[in-house]
Amino acid sequence: MGPASLQEDRELRKESKEEMESYRCLLQAGSQLESTLQQVTVPVSMKEVGGYIEKQVAYLSGGRGEDSSVIITLPECSAFSDIPEEALTKVFTYLTLIPRTRQPGVKFIIILDRRLDTWASIKTALARIAASFPGNLHLVLVLRPTSFFHRTVTDIGFRFSQEDFMLKMPVVMLSSVTDLLRYIDENQLTSEFGGTLDYCHSDWIVLRTAIESFAVTVKDIAQMLQGFGTELAETELPEEAKAIEYLLELHTDKYRKLKDAIRSVSKEGRHLLSSLETTAKEDDSQWDVKLDWETVQRLLAQLRDMESAFDGFFEKHHLKLHQYLQLLRYEQSFQEMELCLEHLTAQERELCISANSLAETEQALKRLNNLESNAQEVTARAQIIILHGHQLSAGHHYAMALIMQRCNELRHYCDTLTAALKSKHTRLLQTHQMLLCLGQAQTWCDDAAYLLANQLVDKFQSKEGAQAALRDIEKLLEGAPSMLSSGLDIVTAEYEAVITPHFQAQIGKMFEKHAAVQQMIQNRQACLRKLADKHVRPVQLVAPRPENTPRSKSPLFSPKHGDGLKFTFDLSLPGKRASRKVPNSRKIEVMHDYQESRSCVSYSLDGDDSPDLLKRHVMRELIETERIYVEELLSVLLGYRAEMDNPALSGVLPPILRSKRDILFGNMPEIYNFHSRVFLQDLEGCLEAPEAVGACFLERKESFQMYESYCQNKLRSEALWRQFSDCGFFLECQKKLEHKLGLDSYLLKPIQRLTKYQLLLKELIKYSTDCEGTSELQGALAAMLDLLKSVNDSMHQIAITGYEGDICELGRVLMQGSFSVWISHKKGPTRMKEMARFKPMQRHLFLYERALLLCKRREEHGDGCDKTPSYSFKHCLKMTAVGITENVKGDVKKFEIWYSGREEVYVVQAPTVEVKMAWLNELRRILTNQQKMLRDEAYQHGHIVDHMPLSPPLSESKQQRASVSSEETESGRSSPDPQPHSPKHQHNRRTVQVYFDLKKQVHRGLQGKKVHLLRLAFDSTFLLISQLARSSSLRRHLRGSGGVAWRSRPLPSI
């Protein structure tokens, strides 16, 4: 266990100690409240004796006798003798416990009112009182009967029984109410005994019930607080964040319920106090009301103390749980960031910076820049985690030491990674600079040799020519790179950190080459100066003799034959930096022939191809815009979508918006993951080979289908945005992101990006004629255009209403558009047409793989640019029962769609001829595919056909004509039929019948001798059938015998 862990353990123990101290305070407050409740509550409740109390068997009027004795009155009660002994005992116990809990040892005086009773009843009542009364009975005052007879009997009976009663309790027999005043003051007696004490029995019952209910509720609340406090104190901290969140939510919910209960009890207590105060003000002599007020007041005070102790305990416990949850989340974030940094560190270690050429160095720099970009992003996230850790520490988190240690570890990781990347970047830049200088020096040497080789001898035989040549050489020397003037030792010392043996050899060869070129320049200058100083007869310049040439020191010279030297230089084009072995460089050969004393220059120039340069520009634009696009998606997801979970912004975020964020943002997270993790890397891999980007698009063709879901959700997203666009949450997020445009503009980015791809692909195709990969680029362009069309079609499809089936079963939307449509129906032998024959209906057609839907475009809903169309479903034509006529006489834009053997004919007028041809091509393709499928099915179900030497099958074009009619018709009517009873008509029908009988036999799979007969029958009947194929009667008969099979299975050729 490290220092941070020990510190965390100490802090946690300190926090637990403070929490346990709060828990002890809670238990102490609960104990005090429990003690008070025991003092003020009685074992017997009003519920147990309520029935007898309501009958006024006995009651406490609140009056006091001598020595503050409590008066219990037993009024005249005819049913007193019928009360069970146990019940009477409970009544006396309940009435005596009320004053005894407030004043222990108090005495009692019983007033037994028997003015309307007999001696027998009095004797029985006194005996029952003596047996059942539990308190300290000071005196029993009996009001004897008022009638003469019963009073006499009572006096006699009491005289004989007085000694028995006096041994048990003091009894005084009173003749009248006036005698009662000698023992009890008038103001302590109720009005029925001639006193002034105000007493209402029903009000007393209500008050006692309220006091007892309040005490019981307070006791329950105290037990609930103690129980919940014990539960909190004994709760063990789980190891998962979700479990802690559940505990926090559960404890908070219980705490709120307890607080509501405490507020309710406090409100009840205050109302009870108010009632007691009102009663006390009306009658100051009621001592028991004052005692009840003091009791309720004390209970309320102790309940507040217990509530305060519980609040303190819960606050500490809740803070501990919350901080523990913060620590778990922070630790999880730290571990995830640690993994990211370790991964980047491993990538940094694997990144090789040893390059032997300028191109390799640039590639290494590119990879390093990408790694640095990723590192900067991860480091920025790490800084956020560090800042969060400092905020937790500033909030006095109990694990402050551990959090600060994590912050320091993250900072160390980031600093180490940044330093390593910076060091490699510095080395690569220095290597790049060295290679640039080396290339410039080599280029200068080649240019110098080229200049010397191009200086023709006959041009500088004059003084002016020699001076001009000298000026050219001086100009060349002025533009010499600084590396050549520094010397080998200085260059080696300057680039000592990056020089490898390979570079050392290159630099050595370069300086040897420079020395040789410098020698040639000096020789040429000396010759030219002589020519410029004096006029001489023109002579031919020759090279030094071979035997005087230091061949071993200069790599520029190579012997050829025995009597000549050939100087070879590989030069890059002006303005281009490339190695000497680049294919598109200038190659200059300077041949010196000593025998003929002349010089000749042979060279070839292969310049850069400008379309390649333009392709690279387009590719760079594609990659740069892709990076910007990914960054914008990330800013939206982090700056808006993730902020919906930020508690700090919950006040400005409508709750309904949080639950509908998947509608607002659609599948943008899926799009971001695809582009950031897959497609961007694919594009970056094509930077040096733009022609490969077409294959990249085709490989990810299926992944781009996710844009269709995004576009289909766009209408719902826009509706939700319009509803909450003025929400403070969006304004706050936009302000944090420093975006000039609102969220709606960024939600359009995926759609805008989708249209951008096809434009960039067109540019690449423009500059990639007759290049490798052109076909893939064209395929990628076609795929993106198809995707745009599919997205557009699906956007219209979701507006279809009224279709009862599952529209997904119809297959993919192939085409959609608006047309003028005429519909005619044929039922039986007659042909019926709609009344609106000459007025077309406007219909929106949706062509699926398995059906053709005809819909009516409805009025658009919304205002301005927010209008959206809807399409009301009208007809569904299954493609298995559809046929077409390509041309309709009178209008080149019309064509026919006939259904169920021309039972329904739809004349469709397209807006343009091009639209018509596009639809016909697609319909023809679907019908042709159906023909192929039916042929395959026929082959599988009738394999006997394989053994039959039938005539060769139709060609593809003839097969299409079998299902796609091109006859010209004006009104949809076919050509007139032969007379139904003519011999020709009868012959036609017999021929057709023979054909279909034979067809049935084929499908039954006849073999052997029947096959031979069947072959002869076909040979004799196919000729007649083919001649009659265009007659309307045969077509009608064929339709009646299986119309789809006629369209899909063409007649064999003769």
PDB file of all heavy atoms in Angstrom, residues 435-451:
ATOM      1  N   LEU A 435      18.539  16.601 -45.626  1.00  0.00           N
ATOM      2  CA  LEU A 435      18.303  15.997 -46.931  1.00  0.00           C
ATOM      3  C   LEU A 435      17.923  17.044 -47.964  1.00  0.00           C
ATOM      4  O   LEU A 435      18.276  16.927 -49.147  1.00  0.00           O
ATOM      5  CB  LEU A 435      17.209  14.929 -46.819  1.00  0.00           C
ATOM      6  CG  LEU A 435      17.605  13.657 -46.067  1.00  0.00           C
ATOM      7  CD1 LEU A 435      16.407  12.748 -45.895  1.00  0.00           C
ATOM      8  CD2 LEU A 435      18.721  12.923 -46.809  1.00  0.00           C
ATOM      9  N   LEU A 436      17.190  18.073 -47.543  1.00  0.00           N
ATOM     10  CA  LEU A 436      16.865  19.160 -48.470  1.00  0.00           C
ATOM     11  C   LEU A 436      18.134  19.870 -48.938  1.00  0.00           C
ATOM     12  O   LEU A 436      18.310  20.132 -50.141  1.00  0.00           O
ATOM     13  CB  LEU A 436      15.908  20.150 -47.802  1.00  0.00           C
ATOM     14  CG  LEU A 436      14.423  19.785 -47.750  1.00  0.00           C
ATOM     15  CD1 LEU A 436      13.647  20.866 -47.015  1.00  0.00           C
ATOM     16  CD2 LEU A 436      13.869  19.623 -49.163  1.00  0.00           C
ATOM     17  N   CYS A 437      18.981  20.188 -47.961  1.00  0.00           N
ATOM     18  CA  CYS A 437      20.233  20.863 -48.327  1.00  0.00           C
ATOM     19  C   CYS A 437      21.088  19.961 -49.206  1.00  0.00           C
ATOM     20  O   CYS A 437      21.719  20.430 -50.178  1.00  0.00           O
ATOM     21  CB  CYS A 437      21.012  21.246 -47.061  1.00  0.00           C
ATOM     22  SG  CYS A 437      20.183  22.515 -46.072  1.00  0.00           S
ATOM     23  N   LEU A 438      21.112  18.672 -48.878  1.00  0.00           N
ATOM     24  CA  LEU A 438      21.894  17.740 -49.682  1.00  0.00           C
ATOM     25  C   LEU A 438      21.326  17.650 -51.097  1.00  0.00           C
ATOM     26  O   LEU A 438      22.079  17.644 -52.089  1.00  0.00           O
ATOM     27  CB  LEU A 438      21.872  16.357 -49.018  1.00  0.00           C
ATOM     28  CG  LEU A 438      22.835  15.306 -49.568  1.00  0.00           C
ATOM     29  CD1 LEU A 438      24.277  15.783 -49.439  1.00  0.00           C
ATOM     30  CD2 LEU A 438      22.636  13.984 -48.836  1.00  0.00           C
ATOM     31  N   GLY A 439      20.014  17.629 -51.202  1.00  0.00           N
ATOM     32  CA  GLY A 439      19.400  17.606 -52.521  1.00  0.00           C
ATOM     33  C   GLY A 439      19.664  18.880 -53.299  1.00  0.00           C
ATOM     34  O   GLY A 439      19.893  18.848 -54.521  1.00  0.00           O
ATOM     35  N   GLN A 440      19.576  20.033 -52.594  1.00  0.00           N
ATOM     36  CA  GLN A 440      19.868  21.300 -53.272  1.00  0.00           C
ATOM     37  C   GLN A 440      21.312  21.331 -53.775  1.00  0.00           C
ATOM     38  O   GLN A 440      21.581  21.818 -54.892  1.00  0.00           O
ATOM     39  CB  GLN A 440      19.615  22.457 -52.307  1.00  0.00           C
ATOM     40  CG  GLN A 440      18.142  22.674 -51.981  1.00  0.00           C
ATOM     41  CD  GLN A 440      17.950  23.721 -50.895  1.00  0.00           C
ATOM     42  OE1 GLN A 440      18.928  24.261 -50.365  1.00  0.00           O
ATOM     43  NE2 GLN A 440      16.692  23.998 -50.577  1.00  0.00           N
ATOM     44  N   ALA A 441      22.226  20.806 -52.955  1.00  0.00           N
ATOM     45  CA  ALA A 441      23.629  20.791 -53.373  1.00  0.00           C
ATOM     46  C   ALA A 441      23.823  19.889 -54.588  1.00  0.00           C
ATOM     47  O   ALA A 441      24.525  20.255 -55.554  1.00  0.00           O
ATOM     48  CB  ALA A 441      24.516  20.335 -52.214  1.00  0.00           C
ATOM     49  N   GLN A 442      23.189  18.715 -54.569  1.00  0.00           N
ATOM     50  CA  GLN A 442      23.311  17.824 -55.707  1.00  0.00           C
ATOM     51  C   GLN A 442      22.664  18.432 -56.957  1.00  0.00           C
ATOM     52  O   GLN A 442      23.202  18.322 -58.067  1.00  0.00           O
ATOM     53  CB  GLN A 442      22.662  16.472 -55.377  1.00  0.00           C
ATOM     54  CG  GLN A 442      23.428  15.677 -54.326  1.00  0.00           C
ATOM     55  CD  GLN A 442      22.699  14.404 -53.948  1.00  0.00           C
ATOM     56  OE1 GLN A 442      21.529  14.242 -54.259  1.00  0.00           O
ATOM     57  NE2 GLN A 442      23.407  13.507 -53.256  1.00  0.00           N
ATOM     58  N   THR A 443      21.527  19.079 -56.739  1.00  0.00           N
ATOM     59  CA  THR A 443      20.872  19.732 -57.882  1.00  0.00           C
ATOM     60  C   THR A 443      21.753  20.840 -58.452  1.00  0.00           C
ATOM     61  O   THR A 443      21.850  21.012 -59.681  1.00  0.00           O
ATOM     62  CB  THR A 443      19.514  20.307 -57.437  1.00  0.00           C
ATOM     63  OG1 THR A 443      18.704  19.246 -56.915  1.00  0.00           O
ATOM     64  CG2 THR A 443      18.791  20.976 -58.589  1.00  0.00           C
ATOM     65  N   TRP A 444      22.406  21.580 -57.571  1.00  0.00           N
ATOM     66  CA  TRP A 444      23.277  22.667 -58.047  1.00  0.00           C
ATOM     67  C   TRP A 444      24.446  22.085 -58.838  1.00  0.00           C
ATOM     68  O   TRP A 444      24.805  22.624 -59.892  1.00  0.00           O
ATOM     69  CB  TRP A 444      23.792  23.472 -56.865  1.00  0.00           C
ATOM     70  CG  TRP A 444      24.599  24.660 -57.297  1.00  0.00           C
ATOM     71  CD1 TRP A 444      24.151  25.908 -57.602  1.00  0.00           C
ATOM     72  CD2 TRP A 444      26.023  24.688 -57.481  1.00  0.00           C
ATOM     73  NE1 TRP A 444      25.171  26.723 -57.983  1.00  0.00           N
ATOM     74  CE2 TRP A 444      26.364  26.002 -57.922  1.00  0.00           C
ATOM     75  CE3 TRP A 444      27.045  23.757 -57.343  1.00  0.00           C
ATOM     76  CZ2 TRP A 444      27.661  26.380 -58.195  1.00  0.00           C
ATOM     77  CZ3 TRP A 444      28.337  24.135 -57.610  1.00  0.00           C
ATOM     78  CH2 TRP A 444      28.638  25.430 -58.026  1.00  0.00           C
ATOM     79  N   CYS A 445      25.025  21.005 -58.350  1.00  0.00           N
ATOM     80  CA  CYS A 445      26.132  20.385 -59.090  1.00  0.00           C
ATOM     81  C   CYS A 445      25.666  19.896 -60.458  1.00  0.00           C
ATOM     82  O   CYS A 445      26.359  20.084 -61.476  1.00  0.00           O
ATOM     83  CB  CYS A 445      26.714  19.227 -58.281  1.00  0.00           C
ATOM     84  SG  CYS A 445      27.570  19.726 -56.772  1.00  0.00           S
ATOM     85  N   ASP A 446      24.476  19.298 -60.508  1.00  0.00           N
ATOM     86  CA  ASP A 446      23.954  18.833 -61.785  1.00  0.00           C
ATOM     87  C   ASP A 446      23.646  20.004 -62.711  1.00  0.00           C
ATOM     88  O   ASP A 446      23.893  19.944 -63.933  1.00  0.00           O
ATOM     89  CB  ASP A 446      22.700  17.992 -61.556  1.00  0.00           C
ATOM     90  CG  ASP A 446      23.022  16.692 -60.827  1.00  0.00           C
ATOM     91  OD1 ASP A 446      24.207  16.303 -60.833  1.00  0.00           O
ATOM     92  OD2 ASP A 446      22.105  16.083 -60.249  1.00  0.00           O
ATOM     93  N   ASP A 447      23.083  21.087 -62.141  1.00  0.00           N
ATOM     94  CA  ASP A 447      22.799  22.273 -62.961  1.00  0.00           C
ATOM     95  C   ASP A 447      24.091  22.881 -63.501  1.00  0.00           C
ATOM     96  O   ASP A 447      24.137  23.375 -64.648  1.00  0.00           O
ATOM     97  CB  ASP A 447      22.025  23.307 -62.131  1.00  0.00           C
ATOM     98  CG  ASP A 447      20.606  22.873 -61.866  1.00  0.00           C
ATOM     99  OD1 ASP A 447      20.119  21.964 -62.575  1.00  0.00           O
ATOM    100  OD2 ASP A 447      19.960  23.431 -60.944  1.00  0.00           O
ATOM    101  N   ALA A 448      25.131  22.856 -62.661  1.00  0.00           N
ATOM    102  CA  ALA A 448      26.422  23.394 -63.117  1.00  0.00           C
ATOM    103  C   ALA A 448      26.970  22.569 -64.276  1.00  0.00           C
ATOM    104  O   ALA A 448      27.428  23.120 -65.295  1.00  0.00           O
ATOM    105  CB  ALA A 448      27.410  23.422 -61.959  1.00  0.00           C
ATOM    106  N   ALA A 449      26.917  21.253 -64.130  1.00  0.00           N
ATOM    107  CA  ALA A 449      27.386  20.398 -65.220  1.00  0.00           C
ATOM    108  C   ALA A 449      26.522  20.579 -66.465  1.00  0.00           C
ATOM    109  O   ALA A 449      27.029  20.579 -67.594  1.00  0.00           O
ATOM    110  CB  ALA A 449      27.371  18.940 -64.762  1.00  0.00           C
ATOM    111  N   TYR A 450      25.249  20.762 -66.270  1.00  0.00           N
ATOM    112  CA  TYR A 450      24.339  20.976 -67.395  1.00  0.00           C
ATOM    113  C   TYR A 450      24.659  22.298 -68.097  1.00  0.00           C
ATOM    114  O   TYR A 450      24.661  22.390 -69.341  1.00  0.00           O
ATOM    115  CB  TYR A 450      22.906  20.972 -66.890  1.00  0.00           C
ATOM    116  CG  TYR A 450      21.857  21.093 -67.962  1.00  0.00           C
ATOM    117  CD1 TYR A 450      21.560  20.010 -68.786  1.00  0.00           C
ATOM    118  CD2 TYR A 450      21.154  22.278 -68.146  1.00  0.00           C
ATOM    119  CE1 TYR A 450      20.596  20.122 -69.768  1.00  0.00           C
ATOM    120  CE2 TYR A 450      20.191  22.392 -69.120  1.00  0.00           C
ATOM    121  CZ  TYR A 450      19.904  21.310 -69.938  1.00  0.00           C
ATOM    122  OH  TYR A 450      18.938  21.415 -70.912  1.00  0.00           O
ATOM    123  N   LEU A 451      24.942  23.321 -67.296  1.00  0.00           N
ATOM    124  CA  LEU A 451      25.285  24.620 -67.878  1.00  0.00           C
ATOM    125  C   LEU A 451      26.583  24.515 -68.680  1.00  0.00           C
ATOM    126  O   LEU A 451      26.672  25.030 -69.811  1.00  0.00           O
ATOM    127  CB  LEU A 451      25.428  25.659 -66.773  1.00  0.00           C
ATOM    128  CG  LEU A 451      25.886  27.059 -67.206  1.00  0.00           C
ATOM    129  CD1 LEU A 451      24.853  27.718 -68.124  1.00  0.00           C
ATOM    130  CD2 LEU A 451      26.157  27.944 -65.991  1.00  0.00           C
TER     131      LEU A 451
END
